[in-house]
Amino acid sequence: MKNHKKVYVYKGFERFWHWNQSLLIFLLALTGFEIHSSYTLFGFETAVDIHNKAAWGFIILIVFAIFWHVTTGEWKQYIPTTKNLRSQAEFYLFGIFRNSPHPTQKTLISKLNPLQRLVYLGLKILIIPVMVASGLLYMFYRYPQDSQIALINIDSLELIALFHTFGAFVLMAFVVVHLYLITTGHTITSNLKAMITGWEELEDEGESTTAKNKESHEN
Ligand code: HEM
């Protein structure tokens, strides 16, 4: 039986960013799909108003998150790796149903497994930029310029709407998988608790983790 140790994995800002991001994406999706005419909830005008406000909140949060990732060096968590990628995928497809052990060990310097690294990096450098860029084009196409952005020669909203809606579906698919995967930690609620409190029980790797943890907690 391996030893477990409580480790401070998610810092204050990280948790603030994570929960605000999830709230904003929830609001953006809820109002976005009303704008898309999937259902009626707030009424079109109010949905647009909430969507625009949440979008600006999201952009501000992204700016702070970029600053935090760069200044803390946490961006390195998202460097993709092929090491263990296959075994991680096999674990989610088969091993998890047979009670096999997790193929990758969560540590302070490597909090994400190889699949998470790839997926989160994809969100950060592809899906979220597409949402922000298409959303801003949508916003400014519609309002100040009154149906034209002469500068970039767009004469129809169609392509922008297509990208924006496609991104919204990808994000929704991510959320579904994400909600399932958070239940697959050490215990069913351990990942959720970790993102709320910052602390998580990780397998004890001896001195190095403890020392690093102590050091990072003091910072
Ligand atoms: C900073 C990010 C974002 C900005 C600036 C933005 C902006 C906009 C704007 C201006 C519209 C058009 C509103 C109108 O017709 O008057 C729109 C529509 C929409 N947004 Fe966003 N949005 C953002 C993020 C998101 C996110 C994260 C989601 C979903 C998870 C989302 C889902 C949608 C959907 C589904 C529509 C309707 C598209 C259509 O049917 O053409 N948006 N967004």
Side-chain angles (χ1 to χ4, degrees):
M1 175 97 186
K2 286 184 174 140
N3 273 338
H4 284 88
K5 206 171 190 74
K6 277 222 156 200
V7 182
Y8 189 59
V9 186
Y10 302 113
K11 317 280 183 312
F13 176 80
E14 206 167 5
R15 286 174 283 139
F16 169 85
W17 161 59
H18 175 271
W19 290 115
N20 276 296
Q21 173 165 266
S22 52
L23 179 75
L24 288 170
I25 289 181
F26 171 76
L27 263 182
L28 285 163
L30 191 69
T31 49
F33 284 104
E34 171 159 13
I35 298 166
H36 189 63
S37 307
S38 304
Y39 45 77
T40 307
L41 190 68
F42 301 102
F44 186 80
E45 304 256 300
T46 315
V48 170
D49 189 44
I50 299 174
H51 198 81
N52 285 348
K53 287 182 177 132
W56 285 116
F58 191 39
I59 291 171
I60 293 168
L61 189 65
I62 290 171
V63 171
F64 279 98
I66 292 174
F67 179 78
W68 180 83
H69 277 89
V70 172
T71 52
T72 57
E74 286 285 304
W75 61 271
K76 292 183 192 133
Q77 301 272 358
Y78 305 90
I79 298 173
T81 169
T82 51
K83 193 173 168 252
N84 266 351
L85 186 61
R86 203 193 154 95
S87 46
Q88 191 67 44
E90 281 170 356
F91 171 75
Y92 285 134
L93 288 173
F94 314 110
I96 199 166
F97 305 110
R98 297 189 196 127
N99 243 347
S100 309
H102 279 262
T104 17
Q105 201 48 55
K106 193 169 182 174
T107 66
L108 268 184
I109 40 165
S110 181
K111 293 189 264 201
L112 304 172
N113 72 46
L115 265 182
Q116 286 174 314
R117 278 177 186 251
L118 265 187
V119 172
Y120 293 169
L121 184 70
L123 286 180
K124 279 172 196 293
I125 64 169
L126 188 68
I127 303 300
I128 292 183
V130 162
M131 292 311 283
V132 173
S134 58
L136 286 174
L137 285 172
Y138 216 147
M139 230 180 228
F140 290 108
Y141 175 91
R142 245 193 132 107
Y143 302 117
Q145 280 88 351
D146 207 13
S147 87
Q148 257 197 57
I149 300 181
L151 197 66
I152 46 171
N153 211 9
I154 296 175
D155 38 39
S156 157
L157 254 186
E158 231 167 279
L159 200 63
I160 296 172
L162 200 72
F163 273 108
H164 201 71
T165 309
F166 175 74
F169 277 109
V170 173
L171 268 181
M172 290 305 93
F174 166 78
V175 169
V176 171
V177 177
H178 189 65
L179 289 178
Y180 161 61
L181 288 182
I182 58 168
T183 64
T184 63
H186 174 56
T187 68
I188 202 166
T189 54
S190 61
N191 282 333
L192 178 65
K193 278 189 193 142
M195 197 45 94
I196 295 173
T197 63
W199 292 87
E200 183 169 359
E201 283 203 14
L202 300 183
E203 267 177 32
D204 193 5
E205 296 171 289
E207 280 302 298
S208 60
T209 313
T210 321
K212 273 194 201 96
N213 182 38
K214 190 164 175 286
E215 196 184 294
S216 76
H217 196 203
E218 281 163 359
N219 286 333

